[in-house]
C-alpha cells in the first residue's frame, strides 16, 4: 500500500495515535516505552517490543518529552 499523503497531514489526522519524533518518523504512541540519552548525548526512543532504538531529533525532543511526562503521570 502506498500512501501519498505527507507525514504532516498524517500527523494531524492521526494525532491521537502517532507522535512525530523526527522529520522522517511517526511512531505509534502505544509502542513507546521510554526515552534515553546515548553516550554521545543524543536522545533516542525505546520501543516496547522492538530492540531497535529510534533517534529523536532536537526539534521534536520537547514534544516527545512533554507527551512522555503526561503519559507517565496518567
Amino acid at each position: 500500500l502506498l500512501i501519498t499523503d505527507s507525514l504532516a497531514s498524517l500527523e494531524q489526522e492521526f494525532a491521537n495515535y502517532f507522535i512525530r519524533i523526527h522529520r522522517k518518523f511517526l511512531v505509534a504512541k502505544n509502542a513507546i516505552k521510554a526515552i534515553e540519552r546515548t553516550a554521545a548525548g543524543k536522545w533516542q526512543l525505546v520501543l516496547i517490543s522492538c530492540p531497535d532504538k529510534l533517534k529523536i531529533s532536537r526539534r521534536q525532543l520537547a514534544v516527545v518529552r512533554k507527551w512522555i511526562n503526561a503519559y507517565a503521570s496518567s
Side-chain angles (χ1 to χ4, degrees):
L1 178 65
L2 178 63
I3 300 173
T4 58
D5 295 343
S6 69
L7 278 181
S9 66
L10 292 171
E11 179 184 17
Q12 287 179 336
E13 185 175 349
F14 299 106
N16 291 335
Y17 305 102
F18 294 95
I19 190 167
R20 183 182 290 264
I21 65 163
H22 191 276
R23 69 183 175 107
K24 296 182 180 183
F25 302 122
L26 292 178
V27 176
K29 290 178 177 179
N30 63 359
I32 297 173
K33 183 175 181 180
I35 60 174
E36 65 182 23
R37 194 170 209 151
T38 66
K42 306 284 183 177
W43 289 93
Q44 57 190 10
L45 192 68
V46 180
L47 301 175
I48 291 172
S49 60
C50 181
D52 297 330
K53 296 176 182 175
L54 303 173
K55 176 184 172 184
I56 302 171
S57 70
R58 289 179 293 153
R59 180 175 287 187
Q60 299 298 352
L61 182 58
V63 173
V64 174
R65 275 188 178 158
K66 183 177 178 181
W67 184 83
I68 290 277
N69 289 336
Y71 177 74
S73 66
S74 37

